[in-house]
Amino acid sequence: QATKNLHMDIASGRFAEAIGQIKVVKSFVQQGRELSFFDKHWQAMVDTNRPQSWFWHTRDVRRRLLLNVIFLGVYLYVFVSAAHGQLTPGQAVALILYAQQIRIPIFTISFLVANTERAVADSRDYFEIMSLQPAIADVPDATELQVKQGRITFDKVTFGYGDHPVLKNISFTVEADSKVALVGESGEGKTTLTNLLLRLYEPNKGVIDIDGTNIQTVTQQSLRRQIGVVFQEPALFSGSIKENISYAHNKASMAQIVAAAQAANAHEFIDKLEKGYD
């Protein structure tokens, strides 16, 4: 079951990735490659499942045959007893009906056992993932971040992914009400700086503070509520445009939603849609 689940996870995971990156797949003409990858792991899952299925159905036929022989014996006993006058016709009919009612649950026990075994195997990965503790957690006495001005300071910050350092002893200050552009080649740490500010990663050395407060001493929720993020790759959830715009503030009024769309130069094309913001 574990081997089957592994191949199923790989196949379905790669399938979801290929659909999500369909433009990349088509642009590089790799449809055949993705289909081959999916087919390889799907076939491995089928090959693993085939002997299991054969074993289960073989046992099921034997079990059904044995149960049918047992119930045949019960029916014969009732008929013979009734024929010899040991049971009245009413008692014989009642016993046959009782046997019929018992027969169905007994025949379905194996299905319940098989489904339970599948559920246990399938849920093992779920509970393993759910039991993982986050690498970055709030300190026991974490406080709520109170932003008064919005002055951001990186003080001698060093960070690396594994053994590869990306940032070395970085120090700078972003004053309140100012605009700062980070310019550099790909992989030089521009996105890493924003990830550190959001505490998606922790610096190996150094301190990041907002208005003089070390962000490692505040709750992650209060920190992230104070930061507006526009990601490099746009992402939309299923639902309406209105729900997507108000994702970070689900109690936003319609006026606030429209104002946000106008600020992003999106209001005009949204307004032209058949259902607009809905």
Side-chain angles (χ1 to χ4, degrees):
Q1 188 72 27
T3 303
K4 184 183 79 172
N5 286 349
L6 175 64
H7 286 291
M8 181 183 292
D9 290 345
I10 293 174
S12 58
R14 184 62 177 241
F15 176 80
E17 288 177 354
I19 294 299
Q21 302 288 342
I22 191 65
K23 287 193 292 185
V24 177
V25 174
K26 287 194 170 186
S27 296
F28 292 100
V29 199
Q30 294 299 316
Q31 297 96 314
R33 175 184 178 181
E34 294 301 329
L35 285 171
S36 297
F37 183 92
F38 178 84
D39 183 65
K40 172 186 173 183
H41 287 281
W42 191 262
Q43 191 59 47
M45 184 199 70
V46 172
D47 292 342
T48 302
N49 195 53
R50 186 178 288 112
Q52 294 176 352
S53 180
W54 176 261
F55 175 78
W56 188 88
H57 285 292
T58 302
R59 296 289 294 269
D60 188 54
V61 169
R62 294 175 182 174
R63 179 188 57 81
R64 286 175 175 272
L65 181 61
L66 177 61
L67 288 173
N68 281 324
V69 170
I70 291 173
F71 278 100
L72 177 62
V74 171
Y75 295 146
L76 286 175
Y77 173 79
V78 172
F79 290 145
V80 171
S81 298
H84 287 81
Q86 296 174 350
L87 296 173
T88 65
Q91 290 174 326
V93 171
L95 287 174
I96 291 173
L97 291 176
Y98 285 140
Q100 283 289 96
Q101 291 180 342
I102 294 171
R103 184 174 180 269
I104 295 174
I106 290 178
F107 269 71
T108 57
I109 283 176
S110 64
F111 292 100
L112 293 174
V113 172
N115 287 334
T116 301
E117 289 178 349
R118 291 193 189 100
V120 169
D122 292 339
S123 62
R124 188 176 294 116
D125 291 341
Y126 169 80
F127 286 110
E128 183 178 337
I129 294 298
M130 293 302 292
S131 65
L132 290 175
Q133 296 299 317
I136 299 175
D138 291 339
V139 295
D141 55 348
T143 58
E144 295 288 307
L145 175 63
Q146 301 295 328
V147 176
K148 297 177 181 178
Q149 294 179 321
R151 187 173 188 266
I152 300 169
T153 302
F154 278 64
D155 184 18
K156 298 179 181 177
V157 172
T158 297
F159 175 78
Y161 298 98
D163 296 328
H164 177 63
V166 179
L167 304 172
K168 299 178 183 178
N169 209 29
I170 297 294
S171 296
F172 65 90
T173 297
V174 180
E175 296 292 345
D177 298 320
S178 66
K179 295 181 180 179
V180 174
L182 303 174
V183 182
E185 295 182 4
S186 178
E188 288 192 339
K190 302 183 298 297
T191 303
T192 300
L193 287 170
T194 60
N195 288 336
L196 289 169
L197 181 61
L198 287 164
R199 282 196 74 196
L200 299 177
Y201 299 105
E202 296 278 42
N204 302 126
K205 296 178 182 178
V207 174
I208 304 170
D209 68 54
I210 298 176
D211 287 340
T213 301
N214 186 343
I215 63 172
Q216 291 184 340
T217 65
V218 301
T219 64
Q220 295 176 60
Q221 285 191 355
S222 67
L223 170 68
R224 291 168 187 164
R225 285 198 195 100
Q226 302 289 349
I227 301 174
V229 183
V230 179
F231 293 99
Q232 292 171 300
E233 293 293 332
L236 292 173
F237 290 94
S238 57
S240 66
I241 295 174
K242 179 171 62 178
E243 290 169 346
N244 273 276
I245 292 177
S246 62
Y247 181 76
H249 181 32
N250 55 18
K251 294 183 179 179
S253 66
M254 194 62 209
Q256 290 174 311
I257 292 171
V258 171
Q262 289 172 335
N265 294 320
H267 175 71
E268 288 188 7
F269 84 80
I270 294 173
D271 203 40
K272 291 177 182 178
L273 297 173
E274 182 181 353
K275 296 183 180 179
Y277 283 85
D278 293 314

